[in-house]
Amino acid sequence: MINKKVDTISEALNGVRNDMTFMFGGFGLSGIPENAIAQLVKLNVKGLTCISNNAGVDDFGLGLLLQQKQIKKMISSYVGENDEFERQMLSGELDVELIPQGTLAERCRAAQAGFPAIFTPAGYGTEVAEGKEVREFDGKMYVLEHAFKADFAFIKAWKGDAAGNLIFKGTARNFNPNMCGAAKVTVVEVEELVPVGSLDPNQIHIPGIFVQRIFQGTNYEKRIEQRTVRPKPEV
Amino acid sequence: MLDKNGIAKRIAKEVKDGYYVNLGIGIPTLVANFVRDDIEVEFQSENGVLGMGPFPFEGEEDADIINAGKQTITTLPGASFFDSATSFAMIRGQHVDLTILGAMEVSEQGDIANWKIPGKMVKGMGGAMDLVASAENIIVAMMHTNRAGASKLLKSCSLPLTGVGCVKTIVTNMAVLEVTPKGFQLLERAPGVSVEAIQAATEGTLIVEGDIPEMQL
């Protein structure tokens, strides 16, 4: 067993610098690497390029990095839940690249899987395709999209072991598995770090080979953005 | 004239047994409430779930189980979770049978705009561009006119496009229309709405052939 376990958050994020490019797992606030984000706030590294489907909300998730003006550029598919984000974007302080959600996922997966680029039909004929190579396959038009290049991927998993094997829970899975191994260093925080051998190899979502560092996360808030419920029937 | 639930009810009739369906945010979400319960349908949400169920009971909501609108949901027996690349493989690979989404504008060529109002609203396209670029069967659910009363069925879209030549069917509060090479073919009228009223609310070319039946809801 190759040991990926680190004991402290500072060890986990060792090597992060100003002006780096980071990937963050998560959809909305579900499955975001809360511990890594908190540590990046503490380290106060600046000039960051962040690849993340969303930009958090004003006071949580990547919104915390935006508050401290640590982010230079966001690459996202949907950013509608953050007023500070909108303010920084409209004032020109923040550079924003909006790309289709499936393209975002596949540019991560391409980086993980060793493809330099992929062709997708998404965005053909729209401003997303401006300046990009397009090609026809079987009568349909596709846009060339390049694999991401990132320094760190910050991942949140449900369970993991010291070998770096991961299992995700529910829709907190989202982009997390696609970003593992898609950056130079993949750092995973887990809700439960379990003993090696206790995870069933048949049930592993991401094998440890894609992971460089794993640590036991703490104090998960797991905020809900839209709490929608129905009343419990009377018994 | 239909309300939002009426539009959803009419669209629900297009949902067939054995369909995997992706529902967008807004009116499309309401469609799930009107699907016949004697057929088997699975709803996909692009953040990574197939087999979505209703909202959870109070106190049972789980931050790790949400839909693409970030709402807490439940899953039904037979449901599955998956990563984002797999989710869009279902969409891009045309494994999803029907996509229902909202729009700000639709053109008579089947172009759709629903993600950006320059200088006003910049939220992003989310999964909409992937959905419209790949789905074979797209129904647009929207009001026939915008809040200012201007037509949303146009000769060509004025807003930044989400996709080109992709919309086949449109269901509005006034009508059911099909995009054809000649323009918007009027198929059905909403109860109590005249062809003249639909014509007046449609900026793009409207094709009216023979008697136009009222929608059966």
Side-chain angles (χ1 to χ4, degrees), chain B:
Chain B
M1 205 104 77
L2 302 175
D3 61 5
K4 288 180 177 180
N5 278 303
I7 296 172
K9 206 170 170 188
R10 175 59 191 84
I11 292 173
K13 291 177 66 182
E14 304 300 316
V15 179
K16 304 285 191 302
D17 190 31
Y19 268 17
Y20 293 101
V21 182
N22 181 288
L23 300 178
I25 295 164
I27 301 171
T29 307
L30 302 172
V31 172
N33 301 332
F34 299 104
V35 174
R36 282 162 45 188
D37 51 15
D38 60 336
I39 61 173
E40 294 298 329
V41 174
E42 282 197 26
F43 291 106
Q44 196 246 22
S45 196
E46 63 269 24
N47 59 314
V49 55
L50 198 56
M52 253 192 297
F55 294 145
F57 291 128
E58 258 176 290
E60 291 177 11
E61 59 273 23
D62 183 341
D64 292 331
I65 302 178
I66 62 170
N67 64 16
K70 285 110 185 171
Q71 298 172 311
T72 46
I73 54 156
T74 59
T75 53
L76 297 173
S80 55
F81 297 115
F82 35 84
D83 64 78
S84 299
T86 304
S87 181
F88 283 91
M90 294 175 188
I91 292 163
R92 208 182 300 105
Q94 299 184 343
H95 307 286
V96 173
D97 299 288
L98 175 63
T99 292
I100 303 168
L101 77 175
M104 297 174 195
E105 295 177 347
V106 175
S107 81
E108 61 187 57
Q109 292 83 33
D111 300 346
I112 178 171
N114 70 355
W115 74 282
K116 185 179 183 182
I117 305 172
K120 266 191 186 167
M121 186 205 80
V122 189
K123 289 176 187 292
M125 66 292 282
M129 283 194 182
D130 305 274
L131 282 158
V132 301
S134 296
E136 291 268 280
N137 194 1
I138 298 175
I139 300 178
V140 167
M142 65 177 193
M143 301 311 254
H144 211 97
T145 54
N146 65 22
R147 286 201 182 95
S151 181
K152 294 169 72 171
L153 291 98
L154 307 172
K155 286 198 185 304
S156 62
C157 294
S158 64
L159 295 170
L161 295 180
T162 307
V164 291
C166 48
V167 176
K168 304 282 189 305
T169 306
I170 305 154
V171 179
T172 74
N173 52 331
M174 301 181 85
V176 179
L177 309 104
E178 193 186 319
V179 175
T180 71
K182 290 183 287 178
F184 297 113
Q185 175 111 31
L186 182 59
L187 299 181
E188 297 173 21
R189 298 173 292 117
V193 176
S194 68
V195 171
E196 292 70 32
I198 296 164
Q199 178 69 74
T202 307
E203 193 243 29
T205 309
L206 186 73
I207 300 158
V208 184
E209 286 174 353
D211 271 352
I212 306 300
E214 250 187 28
M215 288 180 202
Q216 301 297 312
L217 292 168

Side-chain angles (χ1 to χ4, degrees), chain A residues 90-121:
Chain A
L90 294 174
S91 71
E93 293 165 60
L94 181 68
D95 186 10
V96 178
E97 186 181 342
L98 291 168
I99 61 173
Q101 193 178 335
T103 300
L104 177 60
E106 210 58 30
R107 289 177 69 186
C108 293
R109 210 194 69 86
Q112 175 192 58
F115 294 111
I118 52 116
F119 278 103
T120 175

